[in-house]
Amino acid sequence: MTDTYALAELQKESRMGGVGTENADRTIPRIDLSDFDERRSEITEQLWTAATEIGFFQLVGHGIPQDQVDRAFAESARFFSLPDEVKGRFPLVSGTNAGWEKLSQTRPSVGTPDQKESYQVTRPRMDDLWPDDELPGFRDFVLGFEAQCWGLAMRVLSCFADKLGFDRDFFARAHDPASAEYQSTLRLIHYLPLPADQKERPGVWRAGAHTDFDCLTLLFQRDGQGGLQVCPGRDAEAQEWTPVTPSDEAITCNIGDMLMRWSDDQLLSNFHRVKLPGRGDYTGSRFSIPFFAQANRDVVIETPQGTYPPITAHDYLQERVRANYRKG
């Protein structure tokens, strides 16, 4: 049964389906991770301020080489260029967070399917889900890129561990990729192209308003492929949406529901969405690559201040999925 916390989150999401207003004057902070070890205290304070006041920030100087990011998008495009009947041989199975799906996620906030397809990689659940015959080299590269994302996410989470009173490696142990209980996910996303002369489609979004269920999301985007909007701060009721300019070099990050709970609600998991292109906007395919750092299934989430009862990461995610993910 969905607990009180999950029910409250669902009720909040169901109110976020409106268009709202755009606030282009507000900016998402950029945090430079260069010289991380020498600047750790300074970077930690910058991350904490962004995460407690806005819930979103962008990382530069993050250490993942640009050629690796570029190849990740090239490999994503290779996969999505396969015919649907081929991709359909690697299907997303309910509850696994691994495999391919298309037009299948319907958000409570809007009630219409997200206009996208995705391929999700969760290491222990990938049996028979790799297109090795169709895309030689795809598996090895994607797994290597996922490992780089994990390393960066753990570096950021180690700063939050410092502020929350946990030991520095606390979150790295909780997201152990060597465990069969590992459930962090790399997701390749293709938002479907639209006709340049498309008419208004009220209530249809590339991705409806939602929060992420994980601890921390790293989102890679491409120059010129906009649409991401965030609703930062503590008050989502006003529905003032800030556009996030896509950048090849910057990784857009947000706090997820799991870390908000784990921090006794100090770190903010806030709403975001991807709008359909408007008049004059780029209407072609849009690609993005998020990495969702979510604690291993058997890890118990216990808050420092005891705001919420202990719960395993598996049970927590199941509650959030049941409340938010349904076939359209």
Side-chain angles (χ1 to χ4, degrees):
M1 178 177 291
T2 303
D3 69 8
T4 303
Y5 174 86
L7 180 60
E9 291 300 299
L10 176 59
Q11 291 171 339
K12 183 166 64 174
E13 181 164 340
S14 69
R15 298 193 296 269
M16 296 299 289
V19 175
T21 59
E22 186 172 292
N23 183 352
D25 294 331
R26 187 165 44 196
T27 59
I28 304 302
R30 279 198 172 196
I31 299 173
D32 186 354
L33 299 189
S34 299
D35 302 317
F36 180 83
D37 291 337
E38 294 78 8
R39 298 178 51 240
R40 183 183 181 93
S41 295
E42 173 193 352
I43 291 169
T44 296
E45 293 305 318
Q46 291 175 358
L47 290 170
W48 185 259
T49 297
T52 55
E53 294 183 358
I54 299 173
F56 284 84
F57 48 92
Q58 291 187 311
L59 301 178
V60 295
H62 47 71
I64 298 180
Q66 188 60 48
D67 64 342
Q68 294 288 290
V69 176
D70 294 341
R71 182 171 171 189
F73 278 101
E75 294 293 339
S76 177
R78 285 178 72 204
F79 177 84
F80 290 119
S81 68
L82 295 172
D84 282 4
E85 57 267 26
V86 174
K87 290 178 288 191
R89 298 205 295 264
F90 317 106
L92 178 72
V93 177
S94 178
T96 67
N97 226 24
W100 175 74
E101 56 80 27
K102 183 177 183 179
L103 297 172
S104 70
Q105 188 165 18
T106 300
R107 310 283 183 181
S109 61
V110 293
T112 55
D114 287 352
Q115 300 298 294
K116 69 178 188 301
E117 60 178 326
S118 71
Y119 176 75
Q120 302 187 72
V121 175
T122 303
R123 284 178 176 265
R125 307 178 192 174
M126 295 301 292
D127 290 347
D128 301 320
L129 292 178
W130 292 107
D132 292 329
D133 292 339
E134 294 79 9
L135 302 176
F138 177 84
R139 180 204 297 230
D140 288 344
F141 176 80
V142 168
L143 287 174
F145 187 73
E146 190 269 356
Q148 292 184 78
C149 293
W150 180 90
L152 175 58
M154 294 309 108
R155 197 183 326 161
V156 172
L157 287 172
S158 74
C159 294
F160 294 135
D162 284 348
K163 296 291 288 186
L164 292 169
F166 298 131
D167 70 83
R168 190 161 287 180
D169 294 328
F170 177 84
F171 287 114
R173 291 193 303 274
H175 296 75
D176 179 7
S179 170
E181 304 301 311
Y182 183 70
Q183 58 179 354
S184 294
T185 298
L186 182 72
R187 190 178 196 189
L188 311 181
I189 301 178
H190 172 218
Y191 294 94
L192 305 178
L194 300 164
D197 60 350
Q198 68 160 334
K199 297 180 180 180
E200 293 293 324
R201 300 170 66 187
V204 179
W205 301 84
R206 278 182 156 172
H210 63 284
T211 58
D212 292 343
F213 305 156
D214 60 346
C215 282
L216 178 71
T217 302
L218 311 180
L219 178 67
F220 299 83
Q221 301 184 92
R222 298 271 82 182
D223 287 344
Q225 297 182 13
L228 176 65
Q229 298 176 315
V230 305
C231 193
R234 292 187 180 274
D235 183 9
E237 298 300 324
Q239 288 207 48
E240 284 193 352
W241 295 91
T242 297
V244 179
T245 302
S247 168
D248 286 354
E249 67 168 357
I251 301 173
T252 300
C253 300
N254 61 275
I255 304 301
D257 299 341
M258 183 180 287
L259 188 57
M260 182 168 173
R261 178 178 178 130
W262 220 330
S263 69
D264 296 288
D265 294 337
Q266 295 179 80
L267 303 174
L268 301 179
S269 176
N270 282 322
F271 285 93
H272 48 287
R273 66 190 186 186
V274 181
K275 70 180 185 70
L276 289 180
R279 191 181 303 274
D281 290 342
Y282 167 74
T283 58
S285 289
R286 179 182 186 271
F287 294 90
S288 69
I289 304 175
F291 174 76
F292 301 103
Q294 43 202 21
N296 291 11
R297 290 159 52 94
D298 56 350
V299 168
V300 177
I301 301 169
E302 295 187 82
T303 71
Q305 300 172 23
T307 302
Y308 299 104
I311 187 172
T312 65
H314 170 264
D315 288 346
Y316 175 74
L317 287 176
Q318 288 303 302
E319 287 179 352
R320 301 295 287 125
V321 169
R322 280 195 299 269
N324 287 268
Y325 190 88
R326 58 188 175 88
K327 298 294 182 182

